[in-house]
């Protein structure tokens, strides 16, 4: 009997080994090295996929986010790209234009329910899809609004520019706060176009002319942009907000500790804010500065590289990964917005009545992706420098004109990026 059991076990092991050998490897690169929560989630999806079918075996390599984009671009130059990469939403058009990505080989009807910001579309073609999105809101305490006699804005009726400035003035005149508005100036890089681009868009300007993507002239230095720039500078010269020298610790704790009346922050900070003792925090929609309320959209997404020898296997994994149960698990794990309403309903924070449900509505109603152009990484850096310089006191018109010249020179140097 013991020999028979041993023989059966040996045969079973041989079958499993045979199946593993029969699986074709699909390589995947991921930007989240060092983030153990994300790592556990993504590796769990891979393990489920590998165990659930016999054709493909996904093998992951993780990179620190700080060096990830450079690693992908170096691999592309060397001809060593993996089959699946994740890509930050606004960077996707550049990688598609450069030939790193192929159109996503997934039936788009499968993605009909996904939030717009999770879909990586360039030139009317879908290249990537995300398991989550992020949204920004104006953090406030309900008790602060009540004490200052302020109307609580809603998605249907956000504060306009006058109401917003009146709210800041009321908080400032109370004398209770070190600063009344925390914009997160301690954060650099992508935070600037993601968080502050919506302000200039709501004024009626933009980082680039989206009708052609061939120039920033008029969009970044026209009358609307100049009005934005003067308002932006006034936030710092008027003492409403800490400037570019803000300490990172103040960004993390200033609102929670009550030193700032309002904070412009993302949903990823919401749980920490509530856990920090702000039990009456409310998440308010972006103000309308004249051309509608807008917030940024698009986070990390998965795509299939152009050199992938088995795009059908890569697509099979991505289709597996976008199941609601995984979208919900990521949301519960890292706090970001699940990509579909059905996944949101499965989460503890974004389900009906959940403490962060409002962010799903904000993302659905106010989100606008950053400029969809291969030149975006250059635009983003120039925009960041311009806003930083203006906050530090530089002349608004001269700074925006110089930014336009730099952006247009890059577009010309790259033959319009195919536009």
């Amino acid at each position: 009997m013991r020999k028979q059991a041993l023989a059966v076990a040996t045969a079973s092991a041989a079958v499993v080994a045979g199946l593993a050998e029969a699986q074709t490897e699909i390589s995947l690169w991921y930007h989240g090295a060092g983030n153990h929560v994300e790592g556990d989630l993504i590796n769990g999806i891979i393990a489920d996929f590998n165990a659930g079918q016999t054709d493909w075996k996904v093998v992951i390599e993780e990179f620190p986010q700080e060096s990830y984009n450079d690693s992908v671009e170096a691999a592309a130059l060397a001809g060593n790209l993996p089959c699946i990469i994740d890509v930050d939403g606004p960077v996707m058009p550049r990688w598609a234009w450069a030939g790193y990505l192929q159109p996503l080989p997934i039936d788009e009807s499968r993605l009909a329910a996904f939030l717009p910001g999770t879909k990586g579309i360039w030139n009317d073609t879908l290249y990537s899809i995300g398991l989550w999105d992020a949204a920004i809101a104006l953090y406030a305490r309900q008790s602060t609004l009540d004490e200052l006699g302020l109307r609580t804005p809603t998605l249907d009726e956000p504060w306009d520019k006058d109401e917003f400035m009146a709210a800041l003035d009321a908080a400032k005149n109370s004398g209770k706060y070190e600063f009344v508005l925390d914009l997160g100036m301690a954060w650099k890089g992508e935070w600037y176009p993601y968080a502050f681009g919506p302000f200039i868009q709501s004024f009626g300007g933009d980082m680039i002319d989206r009708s052609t993507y061939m120039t920033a002239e008029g969009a970044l230095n026209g009358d609307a942009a100049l009005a934005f720039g003067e308002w932006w500078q006034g936030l710092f010269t008027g003492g409403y907000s800490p400037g570019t020298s803000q300490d990172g610790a103040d960004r993390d704790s200033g609102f929670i500790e009550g030193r700032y009346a309002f904070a412009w922050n993302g949903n990823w900070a919401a749980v920490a804010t509530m856990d920090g003792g702000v039990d009456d925090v409310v998440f308010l929609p972006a103000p309308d500065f004249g051309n509608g309320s807008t917030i940024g959209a698009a986070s990390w997404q998965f795509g299939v590289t152009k050199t992938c020898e088995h795009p059908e296997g890569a697509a099979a994994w991505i289709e597996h990964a976008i199941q609601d149960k995984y979208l919900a698990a990521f949301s519960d794990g890292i706090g970001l917005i699940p990509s579909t309403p059905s996944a949101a309903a499965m989460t503890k924070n974004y389900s009906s009545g959940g403490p962060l449900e409002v962010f799903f509505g904000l993302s659905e109603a106010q989100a606008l992706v950053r400029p969809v152009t291969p030149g975006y990484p250059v635009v983003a850096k120039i925009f960041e420098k311009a806003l930083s310089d203006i906050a530090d006191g530089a002349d608004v018109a001269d700074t925006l004109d110089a930014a336009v010249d730099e952006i247009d020179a890059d577009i010309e140097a790259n033959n319009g990026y195919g536009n």
Side-chain angles (χ1 to χ4, degrees):
M1 190 71 174
R2 189 173 299 164
K3 289 182 179 179
Q4 184 179 7
L6 180 61
V8 170
T10 302
S12 298
V15 170
V16 171
L19 290 176
E21 289 175 7
Q23 288 179 306
T24 300
E25 283 198 359
I26 301 291
S27 51
L28 182 155
W29 283 9
Y30 191 67
H31 76 277
N35 187 320
H36 299 299
V37 175
E38 276 193 48
D40 289 346
L41 288 163
I42 199 73
N43 279 286
I45 296 173
I46 290 170
D48 289 350
F49 176 76
N50 290 345
Q53 44 74 52
T54 58
D55 294 326
W56 314 106
K57 180 182 180 182
V58 171
V59 178
I60 188 172
E61 185 171 355
E62 298 180 59
F63 297 78
Q65 183 170 332
E66 299 75 25
S67 62
Y68 177 78
N69 285 0
D70 290 340
S71 298
V72 170
E73 294 186 4
L77 289 173
N80 294 325
L81 283 172
C83 255
I84 304 170
I85 55 176
D86 70 330
V87 53
D88 199 6
V91 175
M92 180 280 295
R94 188 175 189 88
W95 287 3
W97 167 77
Y100 301 174
L101 295 167
Q102 62 176 280
L104 193 64
I106 291 177
D107 186 342
E108 289 190 43
S109 65
R110 174 82 172 77
L111 309 173
F114 277 61
L115 287 170
T118 66
K119 299 177 184 180
I121 298 173
W122 177 60
N123 279 353
D124 299 321
T125 302
L126 180 73
Y127 283 91
S128 53
I129 190 69
L131 307 191
W132 62 80
D133 205 350
I136 296 180
L138 185 67
Y139 286 39
R141 287 173 169 82
Q142 186 62 53
S143 55
T144 298
L145 299 179
D146 295 341
E147 182 181 330
L148 298 176
L150 302 174
R151 177 180 72 87
T152 301
T154 64
L155 263 176
D156 292 333
E157 293 187 65
W159 280 337
D160 61 20
K161 179 175 179 287
D162 290 342
E163 281 186 290
F164 179 58
M165 294 309 299
L168 298 188
D169 284 332
K172 186 178 178 183
N173 292 337
S174 74
K176 293 179 58 176
Y177 303 100
E178 184 178 335
F179 290 100
V180 295
L181 177 61
D182 175 22
L183 291 165
M185 298 297 284
W187 294 349
K188 308 301 181 185
E190 191 57 28
W191 175 246
Y192 272 64
Y194 176 67
F196 309 142
F199 293 153
I200 188 173
Q201 289 151 6
S202 186
F203 268 85
D206 210 332
M207 291 174 263
I208 193 170
D209 182 349
R210 295 192 188 217
S211 67
T212 65
Y213 284 111
M214 292 295 290
T215 182
E217 185 69 39
L220 188 52
N221 63 351
D223 290 345
L226 290 170
F228 156 76
E230 296 293 346
W231 169 82
W232 173 256
Q233 190 169 72
L235 294 176
F236 308 100
T237 59
Y240 294 100
S241 181
T244 56
S245 61
Q246 182 191 32
D247 183 77
D250 288 338
R251 168 54 165 170
D252 293 338
S253 63
F255 176 77
I256 293 173
E257 293 174 357
R259 291 184 286 115
Y260 303 148
F262 304 99
W264 187 237
N265 210 336
N267 60 294
W268 56 86
V271 171
T273 299
M274 293 184 292
D275 289 347
V278 188
D279 56 8
D280 67 337
V281 63
V282 286
F283 307 109
L284 309 178
D288 181 351
F289 294 103
N291 284 269
S293 297
T294 304
I295 57 174
S299 188
W300 289 86
Q301 303 167 354
F302 287 103
V304 180
T305 60
K306 209 166 195 177
T307 55
C308 179
E309 294 182 357
H310 303 286
E312 68 276 21
W317 183 80
I318 294 174
E319 288 208 66
H320 174 83
I322 61 176
Q323 294 180 71
D324 279 346
K325 64 180 180 179
Y326 297 128
L327 306 182
F330 258 106
S331 178
D332 285 341
I334 61 178
L336 296 180
I337 302 170
S339 300
T340 66
S342 49
M346 299 167 62
T347 67
K348 59 188 178 184
N349 287 322
Y350 295 91
S351 56
S352 180
L356 305 185
E357 180 187 11
V358 61
F359 281 103
F360 194 92
L362 292 172
S363 183
E364 201 170 33
Q366 293 190 328
L368 176 65
V369 294
R370 282 150 281 180
V372 186
T373 169
Y376 172 77
V378 175
V379 172
K381 290 178 181 177
I382 294 169
F383 183 74
E384 176 191 5
K385 184 178 185 304
L387 262 60
S388 181
D389 288 348
I390 291 171
D392 287 339
D395 182 81
V396 172
D398 290 347
T399 302
L400 294 180
D401 281 341
V404 167
D405 290 343
E406 286 187 72
I407 292 170
D408 284 7
D410 176 70
I411 294 171
E412 184 177 352
N414 287 279
N415 299 313
Y417 289 105
N419 290 314

